[in-house]
C-alpha cells in the first residue's frame, strides 16, 4: 500500500496553493485598479478631440485622408487597433488620389460603445454599413484586417451591391471553429473577473510591446512611438470592461449562424477580392488564406515574405501598392485585375 502523505506535507501544499491564489488575486486586483485610474476619458465626441459622425446611434470616431472626390476605400482595423494605426498606408493611398476613411470600430479606438454590449459579427457589420451611410458612401472598396475582417466580410455579404472590391488582410475568420468557446467566453463575461483578466492582459499597457512583437516579423518596427500609438485609446472609461465583453461576445462567441460562417455565401459573392497574407503569419497561418481563396470565386491571394500578421504595418509601401493597383482597376465587375497585381499572386 502507498504510504499516506504526512499531514505536515499536506499542510505545506495547501499553504503553497493558497499563497499562489493570493498572489494571483492581488495581481488581478492591482491591474484592475490601475485600469480604473487610467480609464478616465469619455468615449465619443465629448472626450477625445477628433472627427466624429453619428452612425447606427453611436458617436463614431474616424480619420480620413485624401480628396473626398477620390475612390473611397474604407479600412476596418483588427483587435486593439484603431483608425490611426492605418496611417502609413493611408498616407500613401491619399497621395495617389484615393479617399481613405478608417473608423474606430468599438470597443476599440475612441468611438462610443453600444449600450447593450453587442459586439457580434452581425452588429459590427451593421456599424460598418451604418458608418458608410452616415458619410454618404453608396459604393466603396472595403478592406478589413485580422479579426476586423469578420465584420468586414459580414458587411460585404449583407450588402454586396455596395462593394466595388474587397480586401482581406490576414483575415481571422475562425472558419475551423465558428462555435467559439463557451467556457472562455463565460470567464470574460463575468463582470468583475472578466474586467480583471482583461486589465491584466489585453488592455495592460505593459503587454502592448509583447503583443505587437508576437504579431510582427521584424521586432525593430515595434518602437516606442508605435507602442504609444496603440496605447492611446486605453484612457477611455470602461475600456477594460468593454473589451472583456468583446472577448466574450465576439472573439470567443458562437458565430456559426453569421453570414461569414456559411460557405454558400462565399460561393455566391460576386465582387472581386484580394487577400493579402504574411507568409510567416503565426496567428492565422497561410493555409487559412489559401482556404478562404478557394471559397471565393473571384479571389486573388498575394503573399508577402518576411511578414507576420500585420502587413500594413510591416510592409506599408508594398501593401499600399497592392491596394492602389486593385482599387484603381475597378472600372466594372468584369474588369480584369492589372498585370502588376497578378505578378504578385501566390
Amino acid at each position: 500500500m502507498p504510504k499516506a502523505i504526512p499531514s505536515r506535507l499536506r499542510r505545506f501544499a495547501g499553504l503553497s496553493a493558497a499563497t499562489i491564489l493570493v498572489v494571483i488575486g492581488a495581481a488581478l486586483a492591482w491591474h484592475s485598479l490601475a485600469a480604473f485610474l487610467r480609464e478616465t476619458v469619455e468615449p465619443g465626441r465629448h472626450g477625445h478631440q477628433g472627427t466624429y459622425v453619428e452612425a447606427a446611434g453611436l458617436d463614431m470616431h474616424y480619420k480620413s485622408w485624401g480628396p473626398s472626390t477620390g475612390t473611397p476605400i474604407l479600412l476596418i482595423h483588427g483587435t486593439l487597433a484603431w483608425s490611426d494605426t492605418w496611417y502609413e498606408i493611408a498616407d500613401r493611398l491619399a497621395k495617389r488620389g484615393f479617399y481613405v476613411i478608417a473608423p474606430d470600430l468599438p470597443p476599440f479606438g475612441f468611438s462610443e460603445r453600444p449600450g447593450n454590449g453587442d459586439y457580434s459579427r452581425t452588429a459590427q457589420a451593421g456599424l460598418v454599413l451604418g458608418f458608410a451611410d452616415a458619410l454618404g458612401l453608396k459604393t466603396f472598396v472595403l478592406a478589413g484586417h485580422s479579426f476586423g475582417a469578420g465584420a468586414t466580410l459580414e458587411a460585404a455579404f449583407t450588402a454586396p451591391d455596395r462593394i466595388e472590391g474587397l480586401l482581406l488582410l490576414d483575415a481571422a475568420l475562425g472558419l475551423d471553429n465558428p462555435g467559439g468557446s463557451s467556457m472562455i467566453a463565460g470567464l470574460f463575461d463575468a463582470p468583475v473577473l472578466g474586467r480583471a483578466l482583461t486589465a491584466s492582459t489585453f488592455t495592460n499597457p505593459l503587454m502592448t510591446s509583447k503583443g505587437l512583437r508576437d504579431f510582427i516579423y521584424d521586432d525593430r518596427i515595434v518602437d516606442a512611438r508605435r507602442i504609444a500609438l496603440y496605447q492611446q485609446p486605453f484612457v477611455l472609461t470602461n475600456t477594460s470592461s468593454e473589451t472583456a465583453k468583446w472577448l466574450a461576445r465576439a472573439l470567443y462567441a458562437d458565430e456559426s449562424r453569421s453570414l461569414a460562417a456559411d460557405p454558400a455565401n462565399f460561393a455566391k459573392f460576386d465582387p472581386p477580392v484580394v487577400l493579402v497574407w504574411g507568409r510567416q503569419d503565426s496567428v492565422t497561418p497561410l493555409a487559412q488564406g489559401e482556404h478562404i481563396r478557394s471559397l471565393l470565386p473571384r479571389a486573388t491571394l498575394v503573399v508577402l515574405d518576411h511578414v507576420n500578421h500585420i502587413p500594413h504595418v510591416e510592409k506599408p509601401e508594398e501593401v499600399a501598392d497592392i491596394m492602389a493597383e486593385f482599387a484603381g482597376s475597378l472600372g466594372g465587375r468584369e474588369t480584369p485585375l492589372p498585370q502588376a497585381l497578378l505578378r504578385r499572386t501566390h
Side-chain angles (χ1 to χ4, degrees):
M1 293 180 62
K3 294 182 179 180
I5 299 175
S7 59
R8 183 176 298 177
L9 182 58
R10 287 199 301 269
R11 287 196 299 272
F12 177 76
L15 180 61
S16 297
T19 302
I20 291 171
L21 289 175
V22 168
V23 171
I24 293 173
L28 290 173
W30 168 256
H31 288 299
S32 190
L33 175 61
F36 175 78
L37 296 174
R38 178 177 64 249
E39 298 169 5
T40 58
V41 177
E42 288 297 317
R45 69 186 70 222
H46 299 298
H48 174 78
Q49 289 187 346
T51 306
Y52 293 83
V53 67
E54 185 174 335
L58 299 179
D59 253 357
M60 294 280 287
H61 177 261
Y62 72 98
K63 299 203 72 170
S64 62
W65 299 259
S68 60
T69 54
T71 299
I73 302 177
L74 190 56
L75 306 176
I76 307 302
H77 61 75
T79 303
L80 291 173
W82 61 291
S83 52
D84 215 20
T85 58
W86 290 104
Y87 80 94
E88 287 159 305
I89 66 164
D91 284 339
R92 289 174 166 85
L93 290 168
K95 289 176 181 176
R96 300 188 188 195
F98 293 100
Y99 180 38
V100 185
I101 317 104
D104 290 356
L105 201 61
F108 309 117
F110 294 97
S111 292
E112 190 177 9
R113 287 75 175 260
N116 60 3
D118 186 356
Y119 295 113
S120 66
R121 191 174 283 172
T122 300
Q124 296 284 74
L127 283 179
V128 171
L129 294 174
F131 176 78
D133 289 339
L135 292 188
L137 303 178
K138 294 182 179 180
T139 61
F140 45 90
V141 178
L142 182 59
H145 170 242
S146 188
F147 197 81
T152 299
L153 196 59
E154 193 79 6
F157 285 172
T158 301
D161 291 341
R162 300 183 65 178
I163 309 302
E164 293 293 334
L166 181 66
L167 287 138
L168 300 177
L169 285 67
D170 292 81
L173 300 180
L175 295 178
D176 57 338
N177 181 31
S181 173
S182 58
M183 183 182 71
I184 298 177
L187 289 175
F188 283 106
D189 219 16
V192 176
L193 178 60
R195 182 180 186 277
L197 289 171
T198 305
S200 302
T201 53
F202 285 85
T203 61
N204 181 355
L206 298 176
M207 299 294 288
T208 308
S209 175
K210 182 184 185 308
L212 286 171
R213 292 176 195 279
D214 286 346
F215 288 1
I216 289 176
Y217 182 81
D218 185 353
D219 284 352
R220 292 173 299 179
I221 296 173
V222 187
D223 56 17
R225 181 178 181 274
R226 194 173 305 279
I227 292 168
L229 176 66
Y230 276 81
Q231 291 175 340
Q232 281 186 38
F234 286 8
V235 298
L236 261 63
T237 56
N238 297 319
T239 287
S240 295
S241 296
E242 292 298 316
T243 303
K245 292 177 186 177
W246 174 86
L247 289 163
R249 304 170 193 183
L251 186 62
Y252 295 109
D254 182 355
E255 292 285 5
S256 58
R257 295 186 179 183
S258 67
L259 296 176
D262 185 352
N265 291 319
F266 287 77
K268 64 185 181 184
F269 187 69
D270 183 57
V273 181
V274 168
L275 307 171
V276 180
W277 227 271
R279 191 178 298 279
Q280 286 75 30
D281 192 332
S282 60
V283 182
T284 51
L286 178 56
Q288 294 188 24
E290 293 170 335
H291 177 56
I292 295 169
R293 178 184 59 177
S294 73
L295 297 175
L296 291 160
R298 300 186 63 194
T300 300
L301 176 63
V302 179
V303 181
L304 303 180
D305 289 317
H306 305 118
V307 171
N308 190 339
H309 188 64
I310 317 180
H312 53 288
V313 166
E314 299 179 71
K315 288 197 174 178
E317 185 171 354
E318 193 164 350
V319 172
D321 285 345
I322 292 166
M323 288 182 138
E325 290 164 8
F326 178 55
S329 73
L330 299 173
R333 290 288 171 90
E334 302 305 320
T335 304
L337 293 176
Q339 289 301 313
L341 178 57
L342 291 175
R343 284 195 291 270
R344 301 176 185 271
T345 58
H346 175 61

